[in-house]
């Protein structure tokens, strides 16, 4: 929750008119998202509940990217899953630093849905300062960090 208060949501925030046209979110929409996630975390909501709130409260448009178009129909799930993982891992790194943890291990959520990149990173050990911003590796990433104790 502490991370959520100040996070900039840089991958979702529109700055220019073209960003808005490409489906990025306005400052008002970012604040709505922040509140939905805050309420979801505080009330121990499921991913599906948070996704439903995003779908109902934010008018998402199709997202135009360099690699194609992400339909507005799938964006609530994409944003929910990606942002909860990103924020949770950012919070973990902060907590580990507060507790003087120096290294972390990449933990891939291994299954038939695991991408080759995440599978390849699984088990890798990083200095804590080098771990920031790695997870999520991609949209809807399910990976996490675990502490390494010497």
């Amino acid at each position: 929750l502490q991370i959520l208060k100040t996070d900039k949501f840089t991958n979702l925030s529109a700055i220019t008119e073209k960003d808005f046209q490409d489906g990025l979110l306005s400052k008002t929409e970012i604040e709505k998202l922040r509140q939905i996630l805050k309420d979801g975390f505080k009330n121990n909501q499921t991913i599906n509940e948070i996704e439903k709130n995003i779908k109902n409260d934010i008018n998402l448009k199709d997202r135009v990217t360099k690699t194609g178009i992400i339909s507005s129909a799938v964006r609530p799930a994409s944003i929910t899953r990606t942002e909860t993982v990103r924020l949770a891992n950012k919070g973990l790194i902060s907590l580990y630093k507060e507790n003087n943890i120096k290294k972390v291990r990449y933990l891939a959520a291994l299954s038939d849905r695991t991408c080759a990149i995440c599978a390849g990173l699984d088990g890798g050990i990083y200095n804590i300062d080098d771990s920031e911003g790695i997870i999520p590796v991609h949209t809807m990433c399910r990976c996490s960090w675990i502490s390494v104790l010497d």
Side-chain angles (χ1 to χ4, degrees):
L1 286 172
Q2 195 64 30
I3 299 291
L4 186 57
K5 288 180 184 178
T6 59
D7 192 83
K8 304 267 190 253
F9 292 93
T10 54
N11 291 333
L12 295 173
S13 296
I15 298 171
T16 67
E17 186 58 38
K18 180 163 180 358
D19 291 342
F20 287 112
Q21 292 170 359
D22 288 348
L24 289 171
L25 305 180
S26 69
K27 288 181 182 180
T28 302
E29 291 167 326
I30 290 293
E31 289 311 311
K32 282 183 185 178
L33 176 62
R34 186 184 315 280
Q35 189 62 49
I36 291 167
L37 291 170
K38 179 181 169 186
D39 292 344
F41 296 156
K42 278 186 166 182
N43 298 317
N44 203 26
Q45 291 179 341
T46 66
I47 292 289
N48 290 337
E49 290 170 323
I50 295 171
E51 178 184 335
K52 181 180 173 190
N53 292 333
I54 290 173
K55 184 178 181 180
N56 292 338
D57 294 347
I58 301 175
N59 184 24
L60 295 171
K61 298 180 242 168
D62 290 348
R63 173 74 174 101
V64 179
T65 69
K66 292 176 185 174
T67 58
I69 297 175
I70 303 166
S71 163
S72 62
V74 300
R75 287 194 70 207
S78 170
I79 290 170
T80 302
R81 292 172 191 279
T82 304
E83 291 305 307
T84 55
V85 164
R86 185 181 68 80
L87 291 164
N89 279 287
K90 204 170 176 181
L92 273 174
I93 294 301
S94 178
L95 178 67
Y96 292 157
K97 284 182 174 184
E98 287 172 18
N99 287 282
N100 208 29
I101 302 293
K102 302 289 186 204
K103 294 186 179 194
V104 290
R105 182 182 316 270
Y106 189 98
L107 180 65
L110 298 174
S111 74
D112 59 339
R113 297 183 324 176
T114 306
C115 75
I117 296 169
C118 292
L121 293 170
D122 187 50
I125 296 176
Y126 295 78
N127 289 324
I128 194 137
D129 291 332
D130 297 333
S131 67
E132 292 185 58
I134 293 176
I135 297 174
V137 171
H138 52 78
T139 302
M140 297 185 61
C141 186
R142 300 173 296 138
C143 299
S144 189
W145 295 113
I146 56 174
S147 60
V148 174
L149 303 176
D150 292 326

